[in-house]
Amino acid sequence: MDKYRLVEEKFIGAHGFIDDIKDTGDAKTHATMGEVDAQCIVRITQQAKPRSCITTAMNMLVSEWHSSCTNRRLICFYTYASKQASGNKHVELKAMGKAINKAVTIAEILKRKMPLHQITALSSCEIVNVYEPLEEGLDSVVNQHYVSCLTITLSTDSTGIDVHNIGYQVRQKIKIII
């Protein structure tokens, strides 16, 4: 493909998985999501370090969990959380392609550290790449392929989530976590 250059790259059905700042180029127009929704999403890539993703997700959840936890040992364990903890009741882990196994591992680690409800949703998105030739006489090439997408929603309580969803997993008891 050294005689072609990439002209256009479309992500169809990948809303929330691909960073929308990259598409617009303007940092102020961050997607069409609300500010609250954007604060509780952790996008996991293949290059991401699991430790930083776990810390980010726990910082989003920990201040809410502090207020509802009665176990003193667990509270002491979570005191490392930053002062910027937003206290969301839920966090979404989003991954595409080869990063899906990393997202599942991170979700399982988070569920072992604190009692969380989980909803898992699988989808796929289409990626279309359009290449134009650098030399005359060649046709343009359109390459399209599908990539799997995974969304794992972790929540400290079951009030805001659908417990009848097919991907729902009930939280573990605190005795199992310790």
Side-chain angles (χ1 to χ4, degrees):
M1 296 286 298
D2 51 332
K3 296 182 180 184
Y4 291 89
R5 70 180 177 99
L6 181 65
V7 177
E8 184 178 5
E9 188 171 29
K10 295 180 194 174
F11 298 96
I12 302 168
H15 179 71
F17 290 96
I18 302 296
D19 196 8
D20 295 327
I21 295 172
K22 180 176 140 183
D23 295 338
T24 60
D26 186 10
K28 292 181 183 176
T29 60
H30 189 282
T32 58
M33 292 185 278
E35 228 174 272
V36 176
D37 290 339
Q39 288 178 355
C40 63
I41 294 176
V42 178
R43 289 186 184 95
I44 298 169
T45 62
Q46 196 173 5
Q47 294 83 21
K49 303 271 188 226
R51 175 177 245 161
S52 64
C53 294
I54 291 167
T55 304
T56 302
M58 285 187 63
N59 285 343
M60 290 179 182
L61 292 169
V62 78
S63 67
E64 173 65 30
W65 190 63
H66 268 286
S67 62
S68 64
C69 182
T70 58
N71 191 334
R72 190 75 174 145
R73 270 179 48 190
L74 290 175
I75 289 176
C76 293
F77 181 72
Y78 292 111
T79 54
Y80 74 90
S82 70
K83 293 179 182 176
Q84 299 173 351
S86 57
N88 295 321
K89 292 188 178 192
H90 74 280
V91 66
E92 287 186 359
L93 305 176
K94 293 193 174 215
M96 292 176 63
K98 294 180 180 179
I100 287 177
N101 61 346
K102 189 179 287 191
V104 171
T105 303
I106 290 168
E108 291 300 321
I109 291 170
L110 287 168
K111 284 173 40 180
R112 299 277 184 242
K113 290 184 178 283
M114 59 176 46
L116 295 170
H117 299 269
Q118 175 180 341
I119 293 181
T120 306
L122 282 170
S123 62
S124 65
C125 70
E126 181 181 9
I127 299 176
V128 179
N129 296 328
V130 179
Y131 297 94
E132 118 181 335
L134 296 174
E135 298 177 359
E136 292 199 28
L138 298 173
D139 293 334
S140 61
V141 176
V142 176
N143 180 12
Q144 74 182 72
H145 58 281
Y146 292 90
V147 177
S148 299
C149 303
L150 176 73
T151 302
I152 300 174
T153 304
L154 300 171
S155 178
T156 55
D157 62 352
S158 61
T159 56
I161 60 174
D162 182 17
V163 295
H164 300 293
N165 189 321
I166 191 129
Y168 175 73
Q169 294 179 21
V170 74
R171 71 180 191 162
Q172 294 180 347
K173 295 184 168 93
I174 293 182
K175 292 179 184 178
I176 296 173
I177 295 171
I178 298 174

